[in-house]
Structure formats: structure tokens, C-alpha cells
Short mmCIF file of all heavy atoms in Angstrom, two decimals:
data_model
loop_
_atom_site.label_atom_id
_atom_site.label_comp_id
_atom_site.label_asym_id
_atom_site.label_seq_id
_atom_site.Cartn_x
_atom_site.Cartn_y
_atom_site.Cartn_z
N ASP A 1098 -24.87 -142.84 63.00
CA ASP A 1098 -24.87 -144.26 63.33
C ASP A 1098 -24.71 -144.40 64.84
O ASP A 1098 -23.70 -143.98 65.41
CB ASP A 1098 -23.72 -144.96 62.60
CG ASP A 1098 -23.69 -146.47 62.82
OD1 ASP A 1098 -24.37 -146.95 63.76
OD2 ASP A 1098 -22.99 -147.16 62.08
N ARG A 1099 -25.71 -144.97 65.50
CA ARG A 1099 -25.66 -145.08 66.96
C ARG A 1099 -24.45 -145.85 67.46
O ARG A 1099 -24.02 -145.69 68.60
CB ARG A 1099 -26.94 -145.75 67.48
CG ARG A 1099 -28.17 -144.86 67.40
CD ARG A 1099 -29.33 -145.49 68.15
NE ARG A 1099 -30.48 -144.61 68.21
CZ ARG A 1099 -31.50 -144.78 69.04
NH1 ARG A 1099 -31.52 -145.82 69.87
NH2 ARG A 1099 -32.51 -143.93 69.05
N ASN A 1100 -23.87 -146.67 66.63
CA ASN A 1100 -22.70 -147.44 67.04
C ASN A 1100 -21.44 -146.59 67.12
O ASN A 1100 -20.40 -147.05 67.61
CB ASN A 1100 -22.47 -148.60 66.05
CG ASN A 1100 -23.57 -149.64 66.13
OD1 ASN A 1100 -24.04 -149.97 67.21
ND2 ASN A 1100 -23.99 -150.14 64.98
N ASN A 1101 -21.53 -145.34 66.64
CA ASN A 1101 -20.35 -144.47 66.64
C ASN A 1101 -20.19 -143.66 67.92
O ASN A 1101 -19.57 -142.60 67.91
CB ASN A 1101 -20.42 -143.51 65.44
CG ASN A 1101 -20.14 -144.21 64.13
OD1 ASN A 1101 -19.48 -145.24 64.10
ND2 ASN A 1101 -20.66 -143.67 63.04
N HIS A 1102 -20.75 -144.15 69.01
CA HIS A 1102 -20.56 -143.49 70.30
C HIS A 1102 -19.50 -144.25 71.09
O HIS A 1102 -19.71 -145.41 71.48
CB HIS A 1102 -21.86 -143.45 71.09
CG HIS A 1102 -21.83 -142.46 72.22
ND1 HIS A 1102 -20.84 -142.46 73.19
CD2 HIS A 1102 -22.66 -141.43 72.53
CE1 HIS A 1102 -21.07 -141.48 74.05
NE2 HIS A 1102 -22.15 -140.83 73.68
N PRO A 1103 -18.33 -143.65 71.32
CA PRO A 1103 -17.21 -144.39 71.92
C PRO A 1103 -17.44 -144.83 73.36
O PRO A 1103 -16.79 -145.79 73.82
CB PRO A 1103 -16.05 -143.39 71.83
CG PRO A 1103 -16.71 -142.04 71.82
CD PRO A 1103 -17.98 -142.25 71.04
N CYS A 1104 -18.34 -144.17 74.10
CA CYS A 1104 -18.58 -144.57 75.48
C CYS A 1104 -19.53 -145.76 75.57
O CYS A 1104 -19.44 -146.58 76.48
CB CYS A 1104 -19.14 -143.40 76.28
SG CYS A 1104 -18.06 -141.95 76.30
N PHE A 1105 -20.43 -145.84 74.62
CA PHE A 1105 -21.42 -146.92 74.63
C PHE A 1105 -20.96 -148.13 73.82
O PHE A 1105 -21.52 -149.21 73.95
CB PHE A 1105 -22.75 -146.41 74.05
CG PHE A 1105 -23.49 -145.47 74.97
CD1 PHE A 1105 -23.03 -144.19 75.20
CD2 PHE A 1105 -24.67 -145.86 75.59
CE1 PHE A 1105 -23.72 -143.31 76.03
CE2 PHE A 1105 -25.36 -144.99 76.43
CZ PHE A 1105 -24.88 -143.71 76.66
N ASN A 1106 -19.95 -147.94 72.99
CA ASN A 1106 -19.46 -149.02 72.13
C ASN A 1106 -17.94 -149.04 72.17
O ASN A 1106 -17.28 -148.18 71.60
CB ASN A 1106 -19.96 -148.82 70.69
CG ASN A 1106 -19.48 -149.90 69.75
OD1 ASN A 1106 -18.96 -150.93 70.17
ND2 ASN A 1106 -19.65 -149.66 68.45
N VAL A 1107 -17.38 -150.04 72.84
CA VAL A 1107 -15.93 -150.12 73.02
C VAL A 1107 -15.21 -150.22 71.68
O VAL A 1107 -14.07 -149.75 71.54
CB VAL A 1107 -15.56 -151.31 73.92
CG1 VAL A 1107 -15.92 -152.64 73.27
CG2 VAL A 1107 -14.09 -151.27 74.31
N HIS A 1108 -15.86 -150.77 70.66
CA HIS A 1108 -15.21 -150.92 69.36
C HIS A 1108 -15.08 -149.59 68.62
O HIS A 1108 -14.34 -149.51 67.63
CB HIS A 1108 -16.01 -151.93 68.51
CG HIS A 1108 -16.14 -153.28 69.14
ND1 HIS A 1108 -15.06 -154.11 69.35
CD2 HIS A 1108 -17.23 -153.94 69.63
CE1 HIS A 1108 -15.46 -155.23 69.94
NE2 HIS A 1108 -16.78 -155.15 70.12
N ALA A 1109 -15.77 -148.55 69.09
CA ALA A 1109 -15.69 -147.25 68.44
C ALA A 1109 -14.69 -146.32 69.10
O ALA A 1109 -14.38 -145.25 68.57
CB ALA A 1109 -17.07 -146.58 68.44
N LYS A 1110 -14.16 -146.71 70.27
CA LYS A 1110 -13.37 -145.76 71.04
C LYS A 1110 -12.05 -145.35 70.39
O LYS A 1110 -11.51 -144.28 70.70
CB LYS A 1110 -13.09 -146.31 72.45
CG LYS A 1110 -12.05 -147.41 72.55
CD LYS A 1110 -11.94 -147.90 73.98
CE LYS A 1110 -10.81 -148.91 74.15
NZ LYS A 1110 -9.49 -148.25 74.17
N GLY A 1111 -11.54 -146.14 69.48
CA GLY A 1111 -10.28 -145.79 68.84
C GLY A 1111 -10.43 -145.00 67.56
O GLY A 1111 -9.43 -144.51 67.01
N LYS A 1112 -11.67 -144.84 67.08
CA LYS A 1112 -11.87 -144.14 65.82
C LYS A 1112 -12.91 -143.02 65.89
O LYS A 1112 -12.97 -142.16 65.01
CB LYS A 1112 -12.27 -145.11 64.72
CG LYS A 1112 -13.55 -145.89 65.01
CD LYS A 1112 -13.88 -146.87 63.89
CE LYS A 1112 -15.18 -147.63 64.19
NZ LYS A 1112 -15.52 -148.58 63.11
N CYS A 1113 -13.75 -143.05 66.92
CA CYS A 1113 -14.80 -142.04 67.06
C CYS A 1113 -14.56 -141.22 68.33
O CYS A 1113 -14.32 -141.78 69.40
CB CYS A 1113 -16.18 -142.70 67.13
SG CYS A 1113 -16.64 -143.62 65.65
N GLY A 1114 -14.63 -139.91 68.19
CA GLY A 1114 -14.37 -139.04 69.33
C GLY A 1114 -15.61 -138.35 69.83
O GLY A 1114 -16.67 -138.38 69.20
N ARG A 1115 -15.46 -137.68 70.99
CA ARG A 1115 -16.58 -136.95 71.59
C ARG A 1115 -16.10 -135.55 71.95
O ARG A 1115 -14.93 -135.31 72.20
CB ARG A 1115 -17.15 -137.66 72.82
CG ARG A 1115 -16.38 -137.48 74.14
CD ARG A 1115 -15.02 -138.10 74.10
NE ARG A 1115 -14.37 -138.15 75.41
CZ ARG A 1115 -13.12 -137.75 75.61
NH1 ARG A 1115 -12.42 -137.21 74.63
NH2 ARG A 1115 -12.57 -137.86 76.81
N ALA A 1116 -17.06 -134.62 71.97
CA ALA A 1116 -16.78 -133.26 72.42
C ALA A 1116 -17.81 -132.91 73.47
O ALA A 1116 -19.01 -132.84 73.17
CB ALA A 1116 -16.85 -132.28 71.25
N HIS A 1117 -17.36 -132.73 74.70
CA HIS A 1117 -18.26 -132.34 75.77
C HIS A 1117 -18.42 -130.81 75.77
O HIS A 1117 -17.44 -130.09 75.69
CB HIS A 1117 -17.71 -132.79 77.13
CG HIS A 1117 -17.87 -134.26 77.37
ND1 HIS A 1117 -17.38 -134.89 78.50
CD2 HIS A 1117 -18.48 -135.23 76.63
CE1 HIS A 1117 -17.67 -136.17 78.44
NE2 HIS A 1117 -18.33 -136.40 77.31
N LEU A 1118 -19.65 -130.37 75.88
CA LEU A 1118 -19.96 -128.95 75.88
C LEU A 1118 -20.36 -128.54 77.29
O LEU A 1118 -21.46 -128.86 77.75
CB LEU A 1118 -21.11 -128.67 74.90
CG LEU A 1118 -20.89 -129.19 73.48
CD1 LEU A 1118 -22.14 -128.99 72.63
CD2 LEU A 1118 -19.67 -128.52 72.82
N PRO A 1119 -19.49 -127.83 78.02
CA PRO A 1119 -19.76 -127.50 79.42
C PRO A 1119 -20.72 -126.32 79.57
O PRO A 1119 -20.32 -125.19 79.85
CB PRO A 1119 -18.37 -127.18 79.98
CG PRO A 1119 -17.63 -126.63 78.79
CD PRO A 1119 -18.14 -127.39 77.60
N VAL A 1120 -21.99 -126.58 79.37
CA VAL A 1120 -23.00 -125.52 79.41
C VAL A 1120 -23.89 -125.59 80.65
O VAL A 1120 -24.81 -124.78 80.80
CB VAL A 1120 -23.91 -125.58 78.15
CG1 VAL A 1120 -23.09 -125.37 76.89
CG2 VAL A 1120 -24.67 -126.90 78.09
N ALA A 1121 -23.64 -126.57 81.53
CA ALA A 1121 -24.53 -126.80 82.67
C ALA A 1121 -23.79 -126.62 83.99
O ALA A 1121 -23.37 -127.60 84.62
CB ALA A 1121 -25.12 -128.21 82.59
N PRO A 1122 -23.59 -125.38 84.45
CA PRO A 1122 -22.80 -125.16 85.66
C PRO A 1122 -23.52 -125.48 86.96
O PRO A 1122 -22.88 -125.80 87.96
CB PRO A 1122 -22.47 -123.67 85.58
CG PRO A 1122 -23.60 -123.08 84.80
CD PRO A 1122 -23.98 -124.12 83.79
N ALA A 1123 -24.84 -125.40 86.99
CA ALA A 1123 -25.58 -125.59 88.24
C ALA A 1123 -25.84 -127.07 88.52
O ALA A 1123 -25.85 -127.90 87.61
CB ALA A 1123 -26.91 -124.84 88.17
N CYS A 1124 -26.08 -127.37 89.78
CA CYS A 1124 -26.45 -128.74 90.13
C CYS A 1124 -27.58 -128.70 91.16
O CYS A 1124 -27.63 -127.81 92.01
CB CYS A 1124 -25.27 -129.54 90.67
SG CYS A 1124 -25.57 -131.34 90.61
N ASN A 1125 -28.47 -129.69 91.08
CA ASN A 1125 -29.63 -129.73 91.97
C ASN A 1125 -29.50 -130.77 93.07
O ASN A 1125 -30.47 -131.03 93.80
CB ASN A 1125 -30.92 -129.97 91.16
CG ASN A 1125 -30.75 -131.09 90.14
OD1 ASN A 1125 -29.77 -131.82 90.15
ND2 ASN A 1125 -31.71 -131.20 89.24
N ILE A 1126 -28.32 -131.39 93.18
CA ILE A 1126 -28.08 -132.32 94.28
C ILE A 1126 -26.65 -132.10 94.79
O ILE A 1126 -25.81 -131.50 94.11
CB ILE A 1126 -28.26 -133.80 93.86
CG1 ILE A 1126 -27.11 -134.27 92.95
CG2 ILE A 1126 -29.60 -134.00 93.16
CD1 ILE A 1126 -27.16 -135.75 92.65
N LYS A 1127 -26.39 -132.61 95.99
CA LYS A 1127 -25.03 -132.58 96.54
C LYS A 1127 -24.67 -133.98 96.98
O LYS A 1127 -25.24 -134.53 97.91
CB LYS A 1127 -24.94 -131.63 97.75
CG LYS A 1127 -23.53 -131.57 98.35
CD LYS A 1127 -22.57 -130.91 97.35
CE LYS A 1127 -21.19 -130.71 97.97
NZ LYS A 1127 -20.44 -131.98 98.11
N CYS A 1128 -23.74 -134.57 96.22
CA CYS A 1128 -23.26 -135.92 96.55
C CYS A 1128 -22.06 -135.80 97.48
O CYS A 1128 -21.25 -134.88 97.37
CB CYS A 1128 -22.86 -136.67 95.29
SG CYS A 1128 -24.21 -136.90 94.11
N ASN A 1129 -21.92 -136.75 98.36
CA ASN A 1129 -20.85 -136.69 99.37
C ASN A 1129 -19.46 -136.94 98.81
O ASN A 1129 -18.48 -136.78 99.53
CB ASN A 1129 -21.15 -137.67 100.49
CG ASN A 1129 -22.26 -137.19 101.40
OD1 ASN A 1129 -22.42 -135.99 101.62
ND2 ASN A 1129 -23.05 -138.11 101.93
N TYR A 1130 -19.37 -137.31 97.53
CA TYR A 1130 -18.06 -137.52 96.92
C TYR A 1130 -17.69 -136.41 95.95
O TYR A 1130 -16.61 -136.43 95.37
CB TYR A 1130 -18.02 -138.87 96.18
CG TYR A 1130 -19.15 -139.08 95.20
CD1 TYR A 1130 -19.20 -138.41 93.98
CD2 TYR A 1130 -20.18 -139.95 95.50
CE1 TYR A 1130 -20.24 -138.60 93.10
CE2 TYR A 1130 -21.24 -140.16 94.63
CZ TYR A 1130 -21.25 -139.47 93.42
OH TYR A 1130 -22.30 -139.67 92.54
#
């Protein structure tokens, strides 16, 4: 259910969780911050 994404839907943030998978170590830009 697309509504179960807590970052895109504030009403889901208290019941739906996320798991970030850190698989992308490289970056193709350099931001000044």
C-alpha cells in the first residue's frame, strides 16, 4: 500500500517503519555542506 511510507505520509509515521540499506558508498557530486 503506497500510503504505508512514513516519509511520504505523515499519518503512517507512527505505525509503519523503514529500513535503509547502505549499499551506495560512492558519490558523483560534492556539495559544499
Side-chain angles (χ1 to χ4, degrees):
D1098 183 345
R1099 288 190 174 195
N1100 292 320
N1101 287 335
H1102 196 306
C1104 301
F1105 288 71
N1106 180 12
V1107 65
H1108 301 294
K1110 75 182 185 77
K1112 59 181 181 180
C1113 298
R1115 80 294 190 228
H1117 285 176
L1118 307 174
V1120 299
C1124 198
N1125 46 11
I1126 72 173
K1127 180 67 175 73
C1128 300
N1129 286 328
Y1130 52 74

